[in-house]
DNA sequence: TATGAATGAGGCTTCATTCAT
DNA sequence: CATGAATGAAGCCTCATTCAT
């Protein structure tokens, strides 16, 4: 028996779960496989998680939190708002590549309200982040004057599309540069670029 | 025994399947529920479809084909390329609203290669459509000179994102107008708009 | 619609049934396939037969009756009892080859008492036939004196074994000559052969 | 929850399976019934066996192996080849009585090639065993000179027939003595018997 | 008679979850 | 804490049989 601390066990389960959920999606993932990859028994999984849903929920929450932190971090000290947007896009695409499979589960394969809530909250937070940048850009004169909330929503939505395309079509259809161009093309003052 | 023509039965199954797949995703959809909503017995479903996968595949093919036709139709006689793009966007968003859930199944919750193939082909076709428009727009001077293929890809990707957002966040985050602005904002010659 | 007389339809069903039962065994045979091969609808089969079991039963009865007749016929005018036994063996093996598959169903794949009864009766009749021959052979001095009933049973049993081997091992393990030798070897007076 | 060791559970499943397969044949045997008789849940069966076929295959292999061992054992130290043949017959008939029904499944009610292979191999081995005895008998002068391979085949085939009769007609048609007589009658030198 | 769509029970198999050890 | 055998509900699919036409 490979004795581990509770924390270690829980983490190895989550790590295994990321893998398997990514590879197979939620429904096709079995607790048995997660347990095996985590090097724990089936019953062991249920010591740390109430059920399959909780594993997914924990995972999702963890990843969103981590993403939020990193995204916030990567932006906070950047003066140029265009640069900040570029960074934000970059971190999004990176994360997407890393957790390809998980993003595909975003669909309603499972109808857990808990997950919907947490995701809404997450996207709201991200929108605030973008709004901040846009506001800074507008007031500094770098960006066109615009409806800040609306524009932030559009950017988030557009990013989602990029990410989805990136993730679904293994022959990634477009690059970060193209993504930057599209988003910034609509934001930057004409001629300033 | 609810007597209907074979065609009617098959169609009512497909209609029911659209509903249920949309609501629950592929894995969570049970044949029993599809059958019930179609007003047929479980066994009856298997008269018309070899298995669950075939139902999904038939549905997907049907929707994509129909979409392709409608999209082609709605564009072909439009002179102004900007108008054509707007129309294309409109029909996309409409379709997305109508078949909300089905779009969410895009994931690899099911790994049917047949579906992957058909989808790739579909998106390729759509890209060609957009490229055509862009080319026309560029040569007519309405659009900025650009990498036609790349731009088409970006537009498709962006649209996907809009649609995904539209579909996932029931409080639709942004309007068609915003979508138009973003996409056209990057295409139209400055000042022409 | 290929109009046929009731008799024709019934016969074509039986012919199809022989084929399919032979190829797939009882359980694996579906009414649908029998109907298709018979060129009749599924429902049509049920006009002529109460159910699947009745088809099998009718078939079995028909074949056993026919076999009984043929076997009786092929023996009745033969003077030499050894020759008669040889003929009986020959017709057995021929029949076995022709209805290979059906013989394999003999097992208790289906537990129809009706079939058991009819088979018992058949084998009893066959035993009587053999007993007759043996008695003739013994009284004429061609065969060794022996327990007639017991010997008849043994011969039937032995033949079954030959047939089973013939039918199961596609590389038929032994020839009719070997079969003759074994059976007659135990019957014929030493030296007479 | 009926706690047992894994080995115990697996064995009780196999024991139950022997019973049910024997009584009903392969197709008519349901996992549910096997499970019930084994005192385990339906799902429990699948812990130990991949599927129904594997249960059957395991059983078949086990019985054939055991039979092979016992048959070999019961013969190896016997000097008199006639005695050896008698022993071989005896063990065959005993086994047949014990596993009555299972023998009847021989048909291709299931078309598992794995089973066909294993059976062919088994019968080949048994033939070798008999050939050995015959050779010994012939060279020692107890048996008539004969085609060893052919004779072995005939004996195996004959035995199969006896067994089949024994198994199918519950009113066992003939005794071991009669079986001995037939087989040995063709082998023993005239007058020696 | 004939059709073939429809039924629905039932079989196989999977898997989240529990619990005796 | 940990194990993994055991459970049982539930899903997919088949097919003998029925029945409206």
């Amino acid at each position: 028996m490979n004795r581990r601390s509770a924390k270690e066990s829980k983490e190895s389960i989550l790590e295994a779960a990321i893998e398997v959920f990514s590879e197979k999606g939620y429904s096709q993932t079995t607790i048995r496989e997660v347990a095996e990859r985590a090097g724990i028994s089936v019953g062991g999984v249920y010591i740390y998680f109430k059920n399959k849903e909780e594993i997914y929920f924990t995972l999702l929450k963890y990843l969103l939190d981590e993403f939020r932190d990193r995204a916030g971090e990567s932006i906070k000290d950047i003066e140029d708002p265009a640069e900040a947007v570029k960074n934000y896009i970059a971190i999004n695409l990176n994360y997407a590549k890393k957790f390809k499979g998980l993003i595909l589960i975003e669909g309603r394969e499972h109808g857990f309200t808990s997950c919907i809530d947490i995701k809404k909250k997450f996207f709201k937070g991200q929108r605030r982040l973008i709004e901040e940048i846009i506001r800074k850009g507008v007031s500094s004169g770098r960006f066109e004057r615009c409806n800040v909330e609306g524009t932030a929503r559009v950017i988030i939505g557009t990013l989602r599309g990029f990410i989805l395309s990136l993730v679904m079509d293994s022959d990634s259809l477009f690059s970060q540069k193209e993504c930057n161009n599209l988003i910034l093309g609509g934001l930057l003052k004409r001629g300033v670029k």
Side-chain angles (χ1 to χ4, degrees), chain A residues 27-94:
Chain A
S27 301
Q28 301 301 317
T29 291
T30 67
I31 297 293
R32 181 167 307 282
E33 180 159 7
V34 171
E36 263 159 25
R37 292 214 205 174
I40 201 174
S41 67
V42 172
V45 172
Y46 284 84
I47 296 169
Y48 299 102
F49 298 93
K50 200 169 87 255
N51 51 30
K52 192 177 171 186
E53 175 173 348
E54 196 181 80
I55 299 177
Y56 180 69
F57 180 73
T58 306
L59 205 55
L60 185 68
K61 191 163 158 27
Y62 171 78
L63 290 177
L64 293 185
D65 282 354
E66 192 182 75
F67 179 82
R68 178 180 13 244
D69 291 349
R70 288 217 202 159
E73 197 64 30
S74 82
I75 278 174
K76 73 164 188 241
D77 296 328
I78 307 213
E79 272 310 301
D80 180 3
E83 208 56 37
V85 168
K86 277 186 196 163
N87 268 21
Y88 184 74
I89 293 173
I91 205 172
N92 260 279
L93 299 189
N94 278 340

Side-chain angles (χ1 to χ4, degrees), chain A residues 12 22 65 69-70 72 91 112 114 117 135 140 163-165 176:
Chain A
S12 61
S22 291
D65 282 354
D69 291 349
R70 288 217 202 159
I91 205 172
F112 312 145
S114 54
D117 288 348
R135 248 178 235 110
S140 75
I163 285 169
L164 196 66
S165 301
Q176 173 162 6

Side-chain angles (χ1 to χ4, degrees), chain A residues 21 25-28 52-57 60 101-119:
Chain A
F21 280 136
Y26 185 81
S27 301
Q28 301 301 317
K52 192 177 171 186
E53 175 173 348
E54 196 181 80
I55 299 177
Y56 180 69
F57 180 73
L60 185 68
L102 276 175
I103 287 166
L104 286 173
I105 311 187
E106 269 207 275
R108 204 172 303 104
E109 188 181 346
H110 51 74
F112 312 145
T113 26
S114 54
C115 291
I116 294 178
D117 288 348
I118 196 184
K119 272 192 229 161

